[in-house]
């Protein structure tokens, strides 16, 4: 159990470079492994989740060297993976599990995927069912891990996603690389596009987009790349929100990815009247900027609806926290997907924020929140419930109370941000 920083009257100050983007780091391992040649990845996120992806490909015969945040991958080509001699342990990583489900569906060997207790409760039918339509032969345990993927012949498909999910979309795209013809994936709303962007970096015109339709060209030639992973906006978001809410704060977060499919948290902050500026913007395939954030004493309430949820799905606990300090009533709806994350994040956010006497009500698909600055600690034992983003959200919330609080399950934060508490301490010093 970790004692959290509370009542920070001096504010957060300084510059910080947050770790590499988790979504891009995962995909850099996957695509480097199935490319031809040696890829060099800089500013890689060496978190528990991303290490699970590395270990899986090592078990399938890919040489991967990790030195700090520098990754070197000697690719084996699209058809060069080897049968693992053991079960592939996904750890806590839903991204690893779902994306590999697509790629492994097209292999000529059997794989068995396992995970920790939390991951084993997360639904896998959302990927196994569309992949089965493509010819994949997947056996789940009542829709969950453990999962067995047998050799299958992948057929081209035109598939309309029933829900907006970047992981499901990416699983289908990775399977479609090995299909017998080109495939089409249709999104109900645009979701994070790192798989498509990176595929077109590793191969020429692998992906085409026509509105909400994504065309996947089969059997592409993928060639090794040398690239930098931008800072993770989902990690930066915790400090953006902290600096917005804690008096006297002024910080600059360096080299943060601002891919348009990921910037929902910036849109929310701006709509609520926060003092946020983008500096030194780049226009590369994965655009970046330095983000300057200054304390904002009065925030407007906000209504977040289904259309914008995919642009900020991982940041919604933080949006709930922002709304808890706003001047008025806020709603977050259309976010039922939160119930299928590392925890039921709707239930967990409500349970934990109510310990700080925050007026937040659970909805079937989100939250109803009465903003107030009159918080008091009703229960000083906060709990991450094994969910990294809940843990970090509570660490930010603790900065706004004046009574000692503790966080149980703080180890979960290493899943995505091993240096989080060190970086928070640096900005608070």
């Amino acid at each position: 159990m970790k004692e959290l920083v509370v009542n920070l009257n001096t504010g957060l100050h300084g510059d910080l470079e947050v770790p590499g983007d988790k979504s891009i780091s995962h995909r850099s391992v996957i695509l480097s492994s199935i490319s031809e040649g040696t890829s060099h990845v800089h500013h890689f996120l060496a978190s528990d989740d991303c290490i699970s992806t590395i270990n899986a490909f090592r078990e399938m015969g890919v040489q991967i060297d990790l030195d700090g945040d520098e990754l070197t991958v000697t690719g084996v080509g699209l058809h060069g993976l080897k049968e693992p001699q053991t079960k592939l342990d996904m750890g806590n990583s839903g991204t690893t599990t779902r994306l590999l489900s697509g790629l492994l569906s097209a292999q000529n060997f059997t794989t068995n995927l396992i995970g920790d207790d939390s991951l084993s409760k997360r639904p896998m039918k959302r990927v196994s069912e569309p992949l089965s339509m493509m010819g994949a032969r997947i056996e789940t345990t009542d829709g969950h891990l453990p999962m067995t993927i047998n050799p299958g012949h992948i057929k081209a498909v035109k598939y309309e996603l029933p829900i907006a999910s970047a992981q499901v979309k990416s699983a289908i795209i990775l399977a479609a690389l090995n299909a017998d013809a080109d495939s089409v994936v249709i999104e109900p709303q645009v979701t994070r596009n790192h798989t498509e962007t990176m595929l077109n970096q590793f191969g020429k015109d692998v992906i085409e987009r026509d509105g909400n339709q994504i065309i996947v060209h089969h059997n592409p030639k993928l060639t090794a790349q040398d690239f930098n992973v931008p800072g993770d906006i989902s990690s930066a978001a915790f400090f953006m929100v902290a600096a917005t809410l804690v008096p006297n704060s002024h910080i600059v977060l360096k080299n943060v990815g601002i891919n348009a499919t990921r910037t929902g948290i910036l849109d929310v902050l701006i709509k609520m009247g926060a003092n946020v500026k983008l500096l030194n913007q780049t226009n590369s395939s994965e655009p970046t900027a330095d983000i300057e954030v200054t304390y904002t004493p009065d925030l407007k309430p906000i209504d977040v609806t289904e259309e914008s949820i995919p642009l900020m799905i991982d940041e919604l606990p933080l949006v709930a926290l922002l709304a808890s300090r706003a001047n008025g009533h806020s709603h977050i709806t259309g976010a039922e997907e939160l119930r299928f994350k590392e925890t039921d994040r709707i239930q967990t956010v409500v349970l934990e924020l109510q310990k700080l006497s925050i007026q937040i009500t659970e909805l079937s698909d989100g939250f109803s929140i009465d903003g107030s600055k009159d918080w008091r600690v009703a229960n000083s034992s906060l709990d991450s419930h094994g969910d990294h983003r809940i843990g970090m959200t509570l660490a930010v919330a603790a900065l706004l109370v004046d009574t000692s609080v503790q966080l149980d399950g703080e180890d979960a934060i290493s899943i995505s941000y091993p240096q989080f508490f060190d970086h928070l301490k640096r900005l608070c010093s």
Side-chain angles (χ1 to χ4, degrees), residues 33-63:
S33 294
I34 60 173
S35 296
E36 297 178 11
T38 300
S39 294
H40 299 279
V41 183
H42 312 286
H43 201 221
F44 179 84
L45 174 64
S47 69
D48 292 355
D49 271 8
C50 295
I51 297 298
S52 293
T53 301
I54 287 176
N55 288 339
F57 281 94
R58 283 175 172 164
E59 292 288 346
M60 292 186 286
V62 181
Q63 181 180 332

Side-chain angles (χ1 to χ4, degrees), residues 102-159:
L103 183 64
L104 297 177
S105 293
Q107 304 305 314
N108 61 2
F109 52 78
T110 296
T111 47
N112 295 284
L113 308 186
I114 61 173
D116 67 11
D117 288 344
S118 172
L119 182 61
S120 298
K121 295 173 184 174
R122 298 177 66 181
M124 294 299 156
K125 281 188 177 180
R126 57 180 56 189
V127 289
S128 66
E129 289 179 346
L131 290 172
S132 296
M133 292 172 54
M134 301 175 73
R137 298 171 57 225
I138 299 177
E139 302 169 23
T140 65
T141 304
D142 193 25
H144 303 84
L145 294 182
M147 176 191 295
T148 300
I149 305 174
N150 297 299
H153 177 68
I154 301 300
K155 301 172 292 186
V157 68
K158 184 173 184 179
Y159 184 76

Side-chain angles (χ1 to χ4, degrees), residues 206-224:
V206 181
I207 302 291
E208 294 181 56
R209 180 176 277 277
D210 181 10
N212 276 25
Q213 291 196 125
I214 300 161
I215 302 162
V216 187
H217 296 292
H218 70 296
N219 200 32
K221 179 178 174 59
L222 303 178
T223 304

